[in-house]
Amino acid sequence: MRRLRAERPDALLLDGGDTWQGSGVSLWTKGADMIEACKALGVDAMTGHWEFTYGAERVEQAVNTELAGRTEFLAQNVKTQDFGDPVFKPYTMRTLGGVPVAIVGQAFPYTPIANPRYMMAEWTFGIQEEELQKVVNEARAKGAQVVVLLSHNGMDVDLKLASRVRGIDAILGGHTHDGVPQPTVVRNAGGQTLVANSGSNSKFLSVLDLEVKGGKVTGYRYRLLPVFANFLPADDAMAQVIAKTRAPYEKKLGERLAVTEGLLYRRGNFNGTFDQLILDAMMEVKGAEIAFSPGFRWGTTILPGQPITFEHVMDQTAITYPYATLSELTGAQIKEILEDVADNLFNPDPYKQQGGDMVRVGGLAYTCVPNATMGGRIVDMRLAGKPLEGSRKYKVAGWAPVAEGARGEPIWEVVSGWLRDKKTVPPRELNLPRLKGIEGNPGIA
């Protein structure tokens, strides 16, 4: 959630923090309005990402009914497939502490590629750089002294965008979950843009003070504050809402499936121990030689000795296309899949990157050369020590298929059943690729 409030007529305070689903902003002024907003814990404006995987009809229903009058859904880069008409409101204008502020929404541009296209087949996405410039110009023409882009692009895309689009004072970004200690100042033809990301899962609160004089931003101060949730009292009204919502599922979510002897986490460019657990479960249950698991970045860490509950499994796997599959793929097809994902991550042009992490791989050993060109990043693929044969077919398990018509058992059933049989789960041994050509680069590990 992101909050934007006016502390005095010549300054704005922006608090940022990437949410799991999309990105949101709460706006209020000092005094009674701020108190009421704090009580309600409301979100005044948001942009989208995973929401779109509920399908276009459900998203429009939520925007036009459940969110109407309370939360503005902003997305300047979502258009109709036929005539290119805007699907959602591109921006909103608010006056905070006497300062006219425009909040522009930028939904995840690669939604139809990274997620099933059939779920939003009538809409187009993309970065829409030229359209964004028109929106910013329009907001400025209407008197906006501050323009903030609420973005779900990912940090690298935000940085390139900031260098090419004029008139944006700050980009509060999400998607890649980067906790940025200080905003990056990006120079462009119109001046400069501050680019900040605030991590994920409410682990940080970004506080950005903007000084506004003569109708322009003239200074800023930024702090990235850690959020120690265990030391903050719960909001009574919100706690009641959560308890009521969870009540019908409490028993099932609380089921203890097994106990972990090792740390289970999901973070890392190429693998994490909970990812490995999912891979191991798929290979054993499906009888697969190789397994793929998406490079998702969300999920709760479980400490050694802690029970793994059904809720923990859902926390790692709950999506709207959770089907577990078993396919026969040739060695050449497996290489093509890995090359395609690697290009999404390591392409030198940020506009051709989709964020996320490398697909997690079970059973297959390989070498990754991130700085190589497309087709040369995945080399020396081996199964049980033997080179993968291009024409031979292998049994490959996976989940979260984007193809229309793909079906299978939900991945949470596969994993939870495997855990029930195990009772105790030893520490996971990560299957990591050998990395080549990245010496001195601490960002890839």
Side-chain angles (χ1 to χ4, degrees):
M1 184 171 66
R2 292 176 173 75
R3 299 187 177 102
L4 171 69
R5 72 186 169 202
E7 288 289 323
R8 56 186 187 274
D10 63 345
L12 296 174
L13 177 69
L14 295 87
D15 306 338
D18 185 35
T19 58
W20 182 79
Q21 289 274 31
S23 304
V25 58
S26 296
L27 313 151
W28 64 88
T29 56
K30 190 174 182 180
D33 289 343
M34 184 180 75
I35 294 172
E36 291 302 315
C38 287
K39 286 182 179 178
L41 295 178
V43 176
D44 289 87
M46 66 175 291
T47 193
H49 176 203
W50 283 92
E51 290 84 2
F52 296 116
T53 67
Y54 286 113
E57 183 179 351
R58 179 68 183 99
V59 173
E60 287 190 300
Q61 179 191 31
V63 170
N64 296 327
T65 58
E66 295 152 62
L67 299 181
R70 294 189 296 176
T71 302
E72 291 188 275
F73 193 98
L74 307 174
Q76 73 85 23
N77 58 328
V78 183
K79 306 289 195 302
T80 59
Q81 186 81 254
D82 48 9
F83 298 111
D85 296 326
V87 178
F88 305 104
K89 190 175 179 180
Y91 69 100
T92 186
M93 293 281 290
R94 302 293 177 95
T95 299
L96 301 172
V99 178
V101 179
I103 306 294
V104 183
Q106 175 85 353
F108 181 49
Y110 306 110
T111 295
I113 301 172
N115 306 113
R117 180 77 184 98
Y118 63 86
M119 291 179 166
M120 66 297 290
E122 296 180 357
W123 297 345
T124 64
F125 289 75
I127 295 170
Q128 302 282 345
E129 189 181 281
E130 293 183 4
E131 290 299 313
L132 176 59
Q133 185 66 71
K134 292 177 183 178
V135 169
V136 173
N137 294 346
E138 180 180 314
R140 291 287 184 183
K142 289 184 177 181
Q145 295 179 15
V146 174
V147 176
V148 175
L149 182 67
L150 187 63
S151 158
H152 212 91
N153 284 331
M155 187 69 179
D156 285 347
V157 177
D158 283 338
L159 291 171
K160 180 175 179 177
L161 191 71
S163 72
R164 295 164 63 90
V165 177
R166 306 177 306 280
I168 300 173
D169 294 298
I171 297 178
L172 297 179
H175 187 58
T176 46
H177 296 192
D178 299 287
V180 181
Q182 285 294 322
T184 300
V185 180
V186 180
R187 308 288 178 182
N188 53 53
Q192 68 178 37
T193 300
L194 306 174
V195 180
N197 274 217
S198 304
S200 66
N201 300 82
S202 301
K203 289 181 285 191
F204 299 103
L205 184 70
S206 290
V207 182
L208 174 63
D209 291 279
L210 295 178
E211 181 181 62
V212 181
K213 292 181 178 179
K216 297 181 179 180
V217 174
T218 56
Y220 75 92
R221 182 180 64 183
Y222 179 92
R223 288 166 292 168
L224 184 68
L225 304 178
V227 176
F228 299 104
N230 291 343
F231 296 99
L232 299 174
D235 178 86
D236 290 337
M238 182 58 70
Q240 290 177 20
V241 171
I242 293 172
K244 181 179 179 180
T245 304
R246 287 177 57 87
Y249 316 102
E250 194 82 38
K251 183 177 179 181
K252 185 171 181 61
L253 291 173
E255 180 189 358
R256 296 189 173 197
L257 303 171
V259 174
T260 179
E261 295 180 342
L263 181 70
L264 293 178
Y265 63 88
R266 179 183 259 167
R267 187 59 177 166
N269 294 126
F270 294 92
N271 210 345
T273 50
F274 213 118
D275 296 291
Q276 188 66 53
L277 183 149
I278 294 172
L279 292 167
D280 293 343
M282 282 195 295
M283 287 190 290
E284 187 169 331
V285 173
K286 296 289 187 180
E289 301 166 273
I290 299 168
F292 292 152
S293 187
F296 295 149
R297 294 175 178 236
W298 33 265
T300 302
T301 297
I302 306 177
L303 301 177
Q306 185 177 348
I308 306 171
T309 66
F310 185 72
E311 182 169 10
H312 286 132
V313 174
M314 293 300 292
D315 183 37
Q316 302 282 343
T317 60
I319 63 172
T320 52
Y321 48 105
Y323 315 113
T325 61
L326 181 65
S327 307
E328 284 196 342
L329 300 175
T330 65
Q333 289 173 315
I334 292 170
K335 175 177 167 59
E336 184 179 356
I337 290 170
L338 293 176
E339 287 282 1
D340 184 59
V341 178
D343 192 60
N344 290 339
L345 300 176
F346 304 120
N347 193 297
D349 183 353
Y351 279 10
K352 295 180 181 178
Q353 298 173 7
Q354 295 177 25
D357 291 314
M358 184 63 180
V359 62
R360 280 68 168 104
V361 180
L364 177 70
Y366 69 98
T367 296
C368 180
V369 191
N371 295 327
T373 56
M374 178 69 168
R377 292 190 178 98
I378 306 300
V379 298
D380 194 24
M381 299 185 298
R382 293 177 178 271
L383 187 64
K386 297 180 180 180
L388 214 63
E389 299 176 32
S391 58
R392 180 189 158 186
K393 290 186 176 181
Y394 301 87
K395 290 184 177 181
V396 181
W399 68 284
V402 298
E404 186 172 6
R407 291 294 183 269
E409 186 180 14
I411 185 62
W412 52 75
E413 296 296 345
V414 174
V415 175
S416 60
W418 182 80
L419 288 169
R420 289 188 191 102
D421 291 339
K422 295 296 180 185
K423 301 291 191 299
T424 300
V425 179
R428 299 291 95 186
E429 183 178 349
L430 292 181
N431 181 47
L432 294 170
R434 295 175 296 277
L435 299 179
K436 190 174 180 181
I438 60 162
E439 294 76 10
N441 184 345
I444 300 178

